[in-house]
Amino acid sequence: MAESGAGRWSNKERVLILSSRGISYRTRHLMQDLRTLMPHARPDTKMDRKDKLFIINEICEMKNCNKCLYFEAKKKQDLYLWIANVPHGPSAKFLVQNVHTLAELKMTGNCLKGSRPLLSFHPIFDQEPQYQLLKELFIQTFSTPRYHPKSQPFVDHIFTFTITDGRIWFRNYQIIEEDGSLVEIGPRFVLQLIKIFQGSFGGQTLYENPAYRSPNLVSFGAARPWDLR
């Protein structure tokens, strides 16, 4: 779907995508996929594990970015994602699971590089306050600003955010113009909300997911189930 008319680029949202050291090759490819799908995204070098998260706010300021996706690896197997509105917040921390990149999926769908996506949200996003906040954060982060210099004046794919089993499932589909049907492109991943903070990468806790269990606790319980009785 082509957009009509020439306009002025007024929405100056820019997203910094970076990671900690120790991420896997799959995470590295996922980050590259997101940068490809988000023309308003900017890359940066990896963060040292010893650095405080608040330093990311300064990096965003130097890069002239007001949103951030920060992938944090722990123990070389657990992956966390911070989505933050810089510098005043809010921010949300998620556990990332079931990551599949574009190269892995080899789906038949495709989209033009730089085209703008539609965003589709599960109805629960409008029913519970924590999801209402996340919906607005997702819209501001993943929506490509209209008339962005690196974007194309087409809408040919759709990002879907679906809530199932207390987790947020991200999918990317091509829109077939002939009949409006959808064909998956990729990547895909699942986010389990841990906490929402008032500030950027910290501050007062606005919401804490009572159903969240850390990967350490899950693996410990699987190894020693008698201790959890």
Side-chain angles (χ1 to χ4, degrees):
M1 293 179 285
E3 296 177 342
S4 59
R8 187 169 59 89
W9 176 36
S10 58
N11 180 0
K12 303 291 186 177
E13 296 282 358
R14 296 182 181 90
V15 182
L16 183 70
I17 300 180
L18 77 164
S19 71
S20 65
R21 297 191 181 277
I23 61 170
S24 66
Y25 73 93
R26 181 176 281 114
T27 305
R28 192 164 59 249
H29 283 280
L30 173 63
M31 292 172 61
Q32 185 56 48
D33 290 345
L34 291 175
R35 291 185 190 121
T36 303
L37 292 170
M38 300 165 62
H40 58 303
R42 294 185 175 182
D44 197 63
T45 55
K46 295 177 181 177
M47 280 267 298
D48 196 294
R49 293 179 183 177
K50 296 178 182 178
D51 290 338
K52 301 293 185 181
L53 290 178
F54 290 105
I55 294 178
I56 300 177
N57 293 325
E58 299 176 11
I59 298 174
C60 288
E61 185 178 357
M62 289 188 293
K63 292 280 186 177
N64 200 20
C65 295
N66 51 5
K67 296 290 185 295
C68 182
L69 296 178
Y70 174 60
F71 290 88
E72 184 179 18
K74 292 187 177 180
K75 298 186 176 180
K76 295 187 177 180
Q77 58 182 4
D78 301 329
L79 179 64
Y80 299 89
L81 171 63
W82 285 84
I83 302 180
N85 181 42
V86 180
H88 303 298
S91 57
K93 184 179 181 181
F94 304 87
L95 175 68
V96 186
Q97 300 170 308
N98 300 343
V99 173
H100 298 282
T101 64
L102 280 167
E104 285 179 317
L105 292 173
K106 296 181 180 178
M107 295 290 186
T108 55
N110 58 49
C111 60
L112 289 172
K113 184 174 182 179
S115 61
R116 299 175 62 236
L118 295 175
L119 269 64
S120 173
F121 291 92
H122 194 279
I124 296 179
F125 275 100
D126 295 320
Q127 298 171 6
E128 300 183 23
Q130 70 272 20
Y131 288 124
Q132 290 174 348
L133 192 154
L134 289 179
K135 178 180 178 180
E136 186 60 34
L137 195 58
F138 288 154
I139 290 174
Q140 294 184 21
T141 303
F142 289 96
S143 292
T144 300
R146 195 175 188 185
Y147 305 121
H148 189 282
K150 293 184 179 179
S151 69
Q152 300 290 338
F154 298 100
V155 176
D156 62 357
H157 64 290
I158 179 169
F159 293 160
T160 65
F161 298 86
T162 308
I163 298 175
T164 305
D165 193 29
R167 291 169 171 80
I168 301 170
W169 301 64
F170 174 92
R171 297 287 187 273
N172 178 30
Y173 296 93
Q174 177 189 1
I175 303 171
I176 306 297
E177 283 198 42
E178 288 76 14
D179 55 3
S181 60
L182 302 177
V183 179
E184 187 168 0
I185 304 172
R188 58 164 70 161
F189 52 88
V190 179
L191 301 175
Q192 184 179 18
L193 177 62
I194 302 174
K195 285 184 179 182
I196 300 176
F197 298 92
Q198 185 174 5
S200 179
F201 296 100
Q204 181 182 351
T205 300
L206 299 179
Y207 175 82
E208 184 171 359
N209 185 2
Y212 171 73
R213 296 177 67 205
S214 71
N216 285 342
L217 191 59
V218 172
S219 59
F220 181 77
R224 304 179 63 182
W226 57 87
D227 287 343
L228 299 178
R229 291 176 185 171

